Amino acid sequence: MAPASKAEKKAAVDAAAWMFNVVTSVGIIIVNKALMATYGFSFATTLTGMHFATTTLMTVILKMLGYVQPSHLPLPDLLKFVVFANFSIVGMNISLMWNSVGFYQIAKLTMIPVSCLLEVVLDKIRYSRDTKLSIGIVLLGVGVCTVTDVSVNTRGFIASFIAVWSTSMQQYYVHYLQRKYSLSSFNLLGHTAPAQAASLLLLGPFLDFWLTNARVDRYDYKTASLIFIFMSCTIAVGTNLSQFICIGRFTAVSFQVLGHMKTILVLIMGFFFFGKEGLNLQVVFGMVIAVVGMIWYGNASSKPGGKERRSHSLPTNKTET
């Protein structure tokens, strides 16, 4: 009975971590859409810097209260992570500006095969046939839901290529660093958030000016917009933490596959909040395919013989303190 009880407890914690990520991710999308569309705050990179500054404040307070224990992350690993993470944020913003929405969505979908490739090459993970097929079904379903117009240009393709690979590397590194240095999600955030906050707050205003031709220091800050900025930063703490928790407990590939459930939820919530516009037979059909693929993936990847399996040579060099 003990193993079953332990497995049930792990499943419950996994479900809670995933639900935490879904709620905070969908929440921040809704708040940011309102902030940008209603109040005209279009400074996405600077806003992300504010998110990490708020996250840094949270980790500092938790350390002072003794909830987060001291830990060590070598500077070279920290710098590599920050470079990947910042290229991911900047690359995604530029990709959205230079590409059609359809090609932007296709680029986001390619993160799953790229993450698979990274885990196969770097972690020697093997995928069963059912797991590979289920991933393909998820990609097909989300593609049917979200991909409409598709036009490609050279600079847009380069921006998407950089965004996809840097995002995949950043998510891989979250799992890798937690495993290698025995870091908790709070520990890793405590190391990476300050560096990301500083770099994005320095770079953000210039990048946002280039993208929007507007200056963040000249924005007309009013009480309502400040409340939404505060809400966005507060929810972002949960989003950042839950991402690290989920990738640490699962893998980057599982995080990406299950992450498309958030895409489905955003589409459904958009239907309830904004009416039937944009919801047609194609979107519903795509949702059904994607959900079937996610259920299949969960079943296939959890089977002892068909799960994403690691070879005997693990690249884990945990540091004991």
Side-chain angles (χ1 to χ4, degrees):
M1 294 296 291
S5 176
K6 186 175 181 181
E8 289 173 2
K9 183 178 179 182
K10 181 183 183 303
V13 174
D14 287 347
W18 182 246
M19 186 57 64
F20 182 33
N21 180 259
V22 169
V23 171
T24 55
S25 297
V26 174
I28 201 168
I29 288 171
I30 293 172
V31 170
N32 285 352
K33 277 188 174 181
L35 179 61
M36 293 180 182
T38 305
Y39 299 102
F41 191 87
S42 57
F43 311 102
T45 309
T46 304
L47 182 62
T48 306
M50 295 178 187
H51 291 169
F52 282 107
T54 310
T55 304
T56 300
L57 179 61
M58 177 205 68
T59 59
V60 169
I61 293 173
L62 290 175
K63 283 181 181 178
M64 291 173 60
L65 295 174
Y67 291 108
V68 178
Q69 301 303 315
S71 60
H72 174 66
L73 179 64
L75 183 60
D77 283 322
L78 173 60
L79 292 177
K80 280 190 283 188
F81 179 89
V82 171
V83 167
F84 289 136
N86 286 358
F87 265 99
S88 167
I89 294 164
V90 173
M92 281 298 177
N93 289 341
I94 295 177
S95 174
L96 184 58
M97 181 183 73
W98 285 350
N99 291 308
S100 66
V101 175
F103 186 76
Y104 175 77
Q105 291 293 347
I106 288 177
K108 287 179 68 178
L109 291 178
T110 62
M111 288 180 198
I112 291 181
V114 170
S115 295
C116 287
L117 178 63
L118 289 175
E119 291 186 354
V120 167
V121 173
L122 300 177
D123 281 350
K124 304 297 185 286
I125 288 178
R126 296 170 57 193
Y127 294 91
S128 69
R129 182 179 63 87
D130 280 359
T131 303
K132 293 174 185 175
L133 288 174
S134 66
I135 290 173
I137 295 297
V138 172
L139 293 174
L140 174 64
V142 177
V144 170
C145 278
T146 60
V147 176
T148 51
D149 61 309
V150 179
S151 59
V152 185
N153 60 78
T154 302
R155 65 176 188 172
F157 177 83
I158 294 173
S160 296
F161 182 86
I162 293 172
V164 167
W165 276 92
S166 57
T167 301
S168 300
M169 285 297 298
Q170 182 259 343
Q171 293 184 354
Y172 170 81
Y173 246 70
V174 170
H175 187 74
Y176 171 80
L177 293 175
Q178 288 190 52
R179 192 176 71 238
K180 181 176 181 180
Y181 296 109
S182 301
L183 297 172
S184 70
S185 302
F186 283 106
N187 287 139
L188 188 55
L189 265 180
H191 290 293
T192 60
Q196 283 191 261
S199 55
L200 289 174
L201 287 175
L202 285 173
L203 172 68
F206 299 101
L207 180 64
D208 288 333
F209 178 73
W210 178 51
L211 293 174
T212 66
N213 201 31
R215 288 174 50 171
V216 66
D217 59 315
R218 292 186 177 176
Y219 174 76
D220 185 18
Y221 293 93
K222 294 182 178 178
T223 303
S225 60
L226 287 173
I227 289 173
F228 271 87
I229 291 172
F230 176 78
M231 288 172 59
S232 178
C233 290
T234 302
I235 298 172
V237 173
T239 306
N240 292 332
L241 177 60
S242 64
Q243 182 194 39
F244 280 30
I245 291 174
C246 287
I247 296 178
R249 295 189 68 85
F250 312 124
T251 64
V253 173
S254 294
F255 182 76
Q256 282 286 344
V257 171
L258 295 174
H260 286 301
M261 179 58 75
K262 291 178 285 190
T263 303
I264 305 300
L265 287 174
V266 169
L267 289 172
I268 293 173
M269 291 183 72
F271 164 70
F272 283 114
F273 282 108
F274 305 112
K276 295 184 179 180
E277 184 178 352
L279 190 75
N280 52 43
L281 186 61
Q282 175 185 329
V283 174
V284 173
F285 182 57
M287 287 181 183
V288 173
I289 295 175
V291 170
V292 168
M294 290 172 198
I295 294 172
W296 187 10
Y297 175 82
N299 182 53
S301 64
S302 64
K303 287 181 179 178
K307 190 180 177 181
E308 11 180 89
R309 295 174 300 169
R310 203 167 294 180
S311 70
H312 293 295
S313 57
L314 286 172
T316 56
N317 298 314
K318 290 187 178 182
T319 57
E320 299 292 338
T321 56

Coordinates of all heavy atoms in Angstrom, one line a residue, residues 191-248:
H191 N 18.4 32.9 -8.0 CA 19.7 33.2 -8.7 C 19.4 33.9 -10.0 O 20.1 34.8 -10.4 CB 20.4 31.9 -9.0 CG 21.0 31.2 -7.8 ND1 22.1 31.8 -7.1 CD2 20.7 30.1 -7.1 CE1 22.4 31.0 -6.0 NE2 21.6 30.0 -6.1
T192 N 18.4 33.5 -10.7 CA 18.2 34.0 -12.1 C 17.3 35.3 -12.2 O 17.6 36.1 -13.1 CB 17.5 32.9 -13.0 OG1 16.2 32.5 -12.4 CG2 18.4 31.6 -13.0
A193 N 16.4 35.4 -11.3 CA 15.4 36.6 -11.4 C 16.2 37.9 -11.3 O 15.9 38.8 -12.1 CB 14.3 36.5 -10.4
P194 N 17.1 38.1 -10.3 CA 17.8 39.4 -10.3 C 18.5 39.8 -11.5 O 18.5 40.9 -12.0 CB 18.7 39.3 -9.1 CG 18.1 38.2 -8.3 CD 17.5 37.2 -9.2
A195 N 19.2 38.8 -12.1 CA 20.0 39.0 -13.3 C 19.1 39.3 -14.5 O 19.4 40.3 -15.3 CB 20.9 37.8 -13.7
Q196 N 18.0 38.6 -14.6 CA 17.0 38.9 -15.7 C 16.3 40.3 -15.5 O 16.1 41.0 -16.5 CB 16.0 37.8 -15.8 CG 16.5 36.5 -16.4 CD 15.4 35.6 -16.7 OE1 15.1 34.6 -16.0 NE2 14.7 35.8 -17.8
A197 N 16.0 40.6 -14.3 CA 15.3 41.9 -14.0 C 16.3 43.0 -14.4 O 15.9 44.0 -15.1 CB 15.0 42.0 -12.5
A198 N 17.5 43.0 -14.0 CA 18.5 44.0 -14.3 C 18.7 44.2 -15.8 O 18.7 45.3 -16.3 CB 19.8 43.7 -13.5
S199 N 18.9 43.1 -16.4 CA 19.2 43.1 -17.9 C 18.0 43.6 -18.7 O 18.1 44.4 -19.6 CB 19.7 41.8 -18.4 OG 18.8 40.7 -18.1
L200 N 16.8 43.1 -18.3 CA 15.6 43.5 -19.1 C 15.2 44.9 -18.8 O 14.6 45.6 -19.7 CB 14.5 42.5 -18.8 CG 14.6 41.1 -19.4 CD1 13.5 40.2 -18.9 CD2 14.7 41.1 -20.9
L201 N 15.3 45.4 -17.6 CA 15.0 46.8 -17.3 C 15.9 47.7 -17.9 O 15.6 48.9 -18.2 CB 15.0 47.0 -15.8 CG 13.8 46.3 -15.0 CD1 13.9 46.5 -13.5 CD2 12.4 46.9 -15.5
L202 N 17.2 47.3 -18.2 CA 18.1 48.2 -18.9 C 17.9 48.1 -20.4 O 17.9 49.1 -21.1 CB 19.6 47.7 -18.6 CG 20.1 48.1 -17.3 CD1 21.5 47.4 -17.1 CD2 20.3 49.6 -17.1
L203 N 17.6 46.9 -20.9 CA 17.4 46.7 -22.4 C 16.0 47.1 -22.8 O 15.8 47.6 -23.9 CB 17.7 45.3 -22.7 CG 17.4 44.8 -24.2 CD1 18.4 45.5 -25.2 CD2 17.5 43.3 -24.3
G204 N 15.0 46.8 -22.0 CA 13.6 46.9 -22.3 C 13.2 48.2 -22.9 O 12.6 48.2 -24.0
P205 N 13.4 49.3 -22.2 CA 13.0 50.6 -22.8 C 13.5 50.9 -24.2 O 12.7 51.5 -25.0 CB 13.5 51.6 -21.8 CG 13.6 50.9 -20.5 CD 14.1 49.5 -20.9
F206 N 14.7 50.5 -24.5 CA 15.3 50.8 -25.8 C 14.6 49.8 -26.9 O 14.3 50.3 -28.0 CB 16.8 50.6 -25.8 CG 17.5 51.5 -24.9 CD1 17.9 51.1 -23.6 CD2 17.8 52.8 -25.3 CE1 18.6 52.0 -22.8 CE2 18.4 53.7 -24.4 CZ 18.8 53.3 -23.2
L207 N 14.5 48.5 -26.5 CA 13.8 47.6 -27.4 C 12.4 48.0 -27.7 O 11.9 47.9 -28.8 CB 14.0 46.2 -26.8 CG 13.3 45.1 -27.7 CD1 14.1 45.0 -29.0 CD2 13.3 43.7 -27.0
D208 N 11.7 48.3 -26.6 CA 10.3 48.7 -26.7 C 10.1 49.9 -27.6 O 9.1 50.1 -28.4 CB 9.6 48.9 -25.4 CG 9.4 47.6 -24.6 OD1 9.3 46.6 -25.2 OD2 9.4 47.6 -23.4
F209 N 11.0 50.9 -27.5 CA 11.0 52.1 -28.3 C 11.2 51.7 -29.8 O 10.5 52.3 -30.7 CB 12.1 53.1 -27.9 CG 12.1 54.3 -28.7 CD1 11.1 55.3 -28.6 CD2 13.1 54.5 -29.6 CE1 11.2 56.5 -29.4 CE2 13.2 55.7 -30.4 CZ 12.2 56.6 -30.3
W210 N 12.1 50.8 -30.0 CA 12.4 50.3 -31.4 C 11.2 49.6 -32.0 O 10.8 49.8 -33.1 CB 13.6 49.4 -31.4 CG 13.9 48.8 -32.7 CD1 14.1 49.5 -33.9 CD2 14.1 47.5 -33.0 NE1 14.4 48.7 -34.9 CE2 14.4 47.4 -34.4 CE3 14.1 46.3 -32.3 CZ2 14.7 46.2 -35.1 CZ3 14.3 45.1 -32.9 CH2 14.6 45.0 -34.3
L211 N 10.5 48.8 -31.1 CA 9.3 48.1 -31.6 C 8.0 48.9 -31.8 O 7.2 48.6 -32.6 CB 9.1 46.9 -30.7 CG 10.1 45.8 -30.6 CD1 9.8 44.8 -29.5 CD2 10.3 45.1 -32.0
T212 N 7.9 49.9 -30.8 CA 6.6 50.6 -30.8 C 6.7 52.1 -31.1 O 5.7 52.7 -31.3 CB 6.0 50.5 -29.4 OG1 6.8 51.2 -28.4 CG2 5.8 49.0 -29.0
N213 N 7.9 52.6 -31.2 CA 8.2 54.0 -31.4 C 7.5 54.8 -30.3 O 7.1 56.0 -30.6 CB 7.6 54.4 -32.8 CG 8.3 55.7 -33.3 OD1 9.4 56.0 -33.0 ND2 7.5 56.5 -34.0
A214 N 7.5 54.3 -29.1 CA 6.9 55.0 -28.0 C 7.9 54.8 -26.8 O 8.5 53.8 -26.7 CB 5.5 54.5 -27.6
R215 N 8.0 55.8 -25.9 CA 8.9 55.7 -24.8 C 8.1 55.4 -23.5 O 7.1 56.0 -23.2 CB 9.6 57.1 -24.6 CG 10.7 57.3 -25.7 CD 11.3 58.7 -25.6 NE 11.8 59.0 -24.3 CZ 12.5 60.1 -24.0 NH1 12.8 60.9 -25.0 NH2 12.9 60.3 -22.7
V216 N 8.6 54.4 -22.7 CA 8.0 54.0 -21.5 C 7.9 55.1 -20.5 O 7.0 55.2 -19.7 CB 8.6 52.7 -21.0 CG1 10.0 53.0 -20.5 CG2 7.8 52.1 -19.9
D217 N 8.9 56.0 -20.5 CA 9.0 57.1 -19.5 C 8.0 58.2 -19.8 O 7.7 59.0 -19.0 CB 10.4 57.6 -19.4 CG 10.9 58.2 -20.7 OD1 10.8 57.5 -21.7 OD2 11.5 59.3 -20.7
R218 N 7.4 58.2 -21.0 CA 6.5 59.2 -21.4 C 5.0 58.6 -21.5 O 4.1 59.3 -21.9 CB 6.8 59.8 -22.8 CG 8.1 60.6 -22.7 CD 8.4 61.3 -24.0 NE 9.6 62.1 -24.0 CZ 10.1 62.8 -25.0 NH1 9.6 62.7 -26.2 NH2 11.2 63.5 -24.8
Y219 N 4.9 57.4 -21.0 CA 3.5 56.8 -20.9 C 2.7 57.6 -19.9 O 3.2 58.0 -18.8 CB 3.6 55.4 -20.6 CG 2.3 54.7 -20.4 CD1 1.5 54.4 -21.5 CD2 1.9 54.4 -19.1 CE1 0.3 53.7 -21.3 CE2 0.6 53.8 -18.9 CZ -0.2 53.4 -20.0 OH -1.4 52.8 -19.8
D220 N 1.4 57.8 -20.2 CA 0.5 58.5 -19.3 C 0.0 57.5 -18.2 O -1.0 56.9 -18.3 CB -0.6 59.1 -20.1 CG -1.5 59.9 -19.2 OD1 -1.1 60.3 -18.1 OD2 -2.7 60.2 -19.6
Y221 N 0.8 57.4 -17.1 CA 0.4 56.5 -16.0 C -0.7 57.0 -15.2 O -0.7 58.2 -14.7 CB 1.6 56.3 -15.1 CG 2.8 55.6 -15.7 CD1 3.8 56.3 -16.3 CD2 2.9 54.2 -15.8 CE1 4.9 55.6 -17.0 CE2 3.9 53.5 -16.4 CZ 4.9 54.2 -17.0 OH 6.0 53.6 -17.6
K222 N -1.8 56.3 -15.2 CA -3.0 56.6 -14.4 C -3.3 55.5 -13.4 O -2.7 54.4 -13.4 CB -4.2 56.9 -15.3 CG -4.0 58.1 -16.2 CD -5.2 58.3 -17.1 CE -5.0 59.5 -17.9 NZ -6.2 59.8 -18.8
T223 N -4.2 55.8 -12.5 CA -4.5 54.8 -11.4 C -4.9 53.5 -11.9 O -4.4 52.4 -11.5 CB -5.6 55.4 -10.5 OG1 -5.2 56.7 -9.9 CG2 -5.8 54.4 -9.3
A224 N -5.7 53.5 -12.9 CA -6.2 52.2 -13.5 C -5.1 51.4 -14.1 O -5.0 50.2 -13.9 CB -7.3 52.5 -14.5
S225 N -4.3 52.0 -14.9 CA -3.2 51.3 -15.6 C -2.2 50.9 -14.5 O -1.6 49.8 -14.7 CB -2.5 52.2 -16.6 OG -2.0 53.4 -16.0
L226 N -1.9 51.7 -13.5 CA -1.0 51.2 -12.5 C -1.5 50.0 -11.7 O -0.7 49.1 -11.3 CB -0.7 52.4 -11.5 CG 0.2 53.5 -12.0 CD1 0.2 54.7 -11.0 CD2 1.6 53.1 -12.3
I227 N -2.8 50.0 -11.5 CA -3.4 48.8 -10.8 C -3.2 47.5 -11.7 O -2.8 46.5 -11.2 CB -4.9 49.0 -10.6 CG1 -5.1 50.1 -9.5 CG2 -5.6 47.7 -10.2 CD1 -6.5 50.5 -9.3
F228 N -3.4 47.7 -13.0 CA -3.2 46.5 -13.9 C -1.7 46.1 -14.0 O -1.4 44.9 -14.1 CB -3.8 46.8 -15.3 CG -5.2 46.4 -15.4 CD1 -6.2 47.3 -15.1 CD2 -5.6 45.2 -15.9 CE1 -7.5 47.0 -15.2 CE2 -6.9 44.8 -16.0 CZ -7.9 45.7 -15.7
I229 N -0.8 47.1 -13.9 CA 0.6 46.8 -13.9 C 1.0 46.0 -12.6 O 1.7 45.0 -12.7 CB 1.5 48.0 -14.1 CG1 1.3 48.6 -15.5 CG2 3.0 47.7 -13.8 CD1 2.0 50.0 -15.6
F230 N 0.4 46.5 -11.5 CA 0.7 45.8 -10.2 C 0.1 44.4 -10.3 O 0.7 43.4 -9.8 CB 0.0 46.6 -9.1 CG 0.1 45.9 -7.8 CD1 1.3 46.0 -7.0 CD2 -1.0 45.2 -7.2 CE1 1.4 45.3 -5.8 CE2 -0.9 44.6 -6.0 CZ 0.3 44.7 -5.3
M231 N -1.1 44.2 -10.8 CA -1.7 42.9 -10.9 C -0.9 42.0 -11.8 O -0.6 40.8 -11.5 CB -3.1 43.0 -11.5 CG -4.2 43.6 -10.5 SD -5.8 43.9 -11.4 CE -6.2 42.2 -11.9
S232 N -0.4 42.5 -12.9 CA 0.4 41.7 -13.8 C 1.7 41.3 -13.2 O 2.1 40.1 -13.3 CB 0.8 42.6 -15.1 OG 1.6 41.9 -16.0
C233 N 2.4 42.1 -12.4 CA 3.6 41.8 -11.7 C 3.4 40.8 -10.6 O 4.2 39.8 -10.4 CB 4.3 43.0 -11.1 SG 4.9 44.2 -12.4
T234 N 2.2 40.9 -9.9 CA 1.9 40.0 -8.9 C 1.6 38.6 -9.4 O 2.2 37.6 -8.9 CB 0.7 40.5 -8.1 OG1 1.0 41.8 -7.6 CG2 0.4 39.5 -6.9
I235 N 0.8 38.5 -10.5 CA 0.5 37.2 -11.1 C 1.8 36.6 -11.7 O 2.0 35.4 -11.6 CB -0.6 37.3 -12.1 CG1 -1.9 37.8 -11.5 CG2 -0.8 36.0 -12.8 CD1 -2.9 38.2 -12.5
A236 N 2.7 37.4 -12.2 CA 3.9 36.9 -12.8 C 4.8 36.2 -11.9 O 5.5 35.3 -12.3 CB 4.7 38.1 -13.4
V237 N 4.8 36.6 -10.6 CA 5.5 35.8 -9.6 C 5.1 34.4 -9.6 O 5.9 33.4 -9.6 CB 5.4 36.5 -8.2 CG1 6.0 35.6 -7.1 CG2 5.9 37.9 -8.1
G238 N 3.8 34.2 -9.6 CA 3.3 32.8 -9.6 C 3.6 32.1 -10.9 O 3.9 30.9 -10.9
T239 N 3.5 32.8 -12.0 CA 3.8 32.2 -13.3 C 5.2 31.8 -13.4 O 5.5 30.7 -13.8 CB 3.5 33.3 -14.5 OG1 2.2 33.7 -14.3 CG2 3.7 32.6 -15.8
N240 N 6.2 32.6 -13.0 CA 7.6 32.3 -13.0 C 7.9 31.1 -12.1 O 8.6 30.2 -12.5 CB 8.4 33.5 -12.6 CG 8.4 34.6 -13.6 OD1 8.2 34.4 -14.8 ND2 8.6 35.8 -13.1
L241 N 7.3 31.1 -10.9 CA 7.6 30.1 -9.9 C 7.0 28.7 -10.4 O 7.6 27.7 -10.4 CB 7.0 30.4 -8.6 CG 7.1 29.4 -7.5 CD1 8.6 29.0 -7.2 CD2 6.4 29.8 -6.2
S242 N 5.7 28.8 -10.9 CA 5.1 27.6 -11.3 C 5.7 26.9 -12.6 O 5.8 25.7 -12.7 CB 3.6 27.8 -11.7 OG 3.4 28.7 -12.7
Q243 N 6.3 27.8 -13.4 CA 7.0 27.3 -14.6 C 8.3 26.5 -14.1 O 8.5 25.4 -14.6 CB 7.5 28.4 -15.5 CG 8.3 27.9 -16.7 CD 9.0 28.9 -17.5 OE1 9.6 29.8 -16.9 NE2 9.0 28.9 -18.8
F244 N 9.0 27.0 -13.2 CA 10.2 26.3 -12.6 C 9.8 25.0 -11.9 O 10.4 24.0 -12.0 CB 11.0 27.2 -11.7 CG 11.8 28.2 -12.4 CD1 11.5 28.7 -13.7 CD2 13.0 28.7 -11.9 CE1 12.3 29.6 -14.4 CE2 13.8 29.6 -12.5 CZ 13.5 30.1 -13.8
I245 N 8.7 25.1 -11.2 CA 8.2 23.9 -10.4 C 7.8 22.8 -11.4 O 8.2 21.7 -11.3 CB 7.0 24.3 -9.5 CG1 7.4 25.2 -8.4 CG2 6.3 23.0 -9.0 CD1 6.3 25.7 -7.5
C246 N 7.0 23.2 -12.5 CA 6.5 22.2 -13.4 C 7.7 21.6 -14.2 O 7.7 20.3 -14.4 CB 5.5 22.8 -14.4 SG 3.9 23.1 -13.6
I247 N 8.6 22.4 -14.7 CA 9.7 21.8 -15.5 C 10.6 21.0 -14.6 O 11.1 20.0 -15.1 CB 10.5 23.0 -16.2 CG1 9.6 23.7 -17.2 CG2 11.7 22.4 -16.9 CD1 10.2 24.9 -17.9
G248 N 10.8 21.4 -13.4 CA 11.6 20.6 -12.4 C 10.9 19.3 -12.2 O 11.6 18.3 -12.1

